[in-house]
Amino acid sequence: MRTCCYTAMNGEAKVLKLDSAIDIAVGVSSLRKGWSATLLFNPATLSFIEYRCSPPDRSGQRKEEAQEVTSHYIYKNFKLDPILLLAIQQNPREWKPANQAG
């Protein structure tokens, strides 16, 4: 099972089981200029996490990090309405990202 560490709102380090996370949206991070971002939903904690990757360095390596984000940040960065986020929290298995064939 793949996992990733992320920083929770309270600054605590947490572990996310990537197999159980739900992809919500893909975009660019507003927290790290030039980094790609995937918005994930963690059903175990009902939280949203931005999983970010840096552009590759000269040797092709990328840095990765993850952080829990607020609904305000999600609205500003991914253009997802808080009402939609609530619907995802209530029924996460029904969510299909816009760029995923259903």
Side-chain angles (χ1 to χ4, degrees), residues 3 24 48 56 59-60 86:
T3 61
I24 302 299
F48 293 93
S59 63
L86 181 60

Side-chain angles (χ1 to χ4, degrees), residues 18-93:
L18 292 173
D19 297 340
S20 65
I22 297 167
D23 290 358
I24 302 299
V26 176
V28 177
S29 177
S30 293
L31 299 171
R32 293 280 193 174
K33 186 175 169 81
W35 288 38
S36 62
T38 301
L39 182 64
L40 303 172
F41 176 67
N42 183 355
T45 61
L46 301 179
S47 59
F48 293 93
I49 294 131
E50 183 181 79
Y51 181 78
R52 311 183 267 271
C53 293
S54 70
D57 63 18
R58 290 180 185 206
S59 63
Q61 301 297 312
R62 295 178 184 260
K63 293 181 183 174
E64 298 177 347
E65 62 184 34
Q67 177 180 351
E68 185 177 359
V69 291
T70 65
S71 60
H72 179 72
Y73 174 81
I74 295 167
Y75 179 72
K76 284 182 66 181
N77 196 62
F78 293 97
K79 309 298 185 240
L80 297 177
D81 190 273
I83 293 170
L84 177 62
L85 300 180
L86 181 60
I88 292 168
Q89 287 174 316
Q90 292 174 344
N91 197 0
R93 298 290 172 211

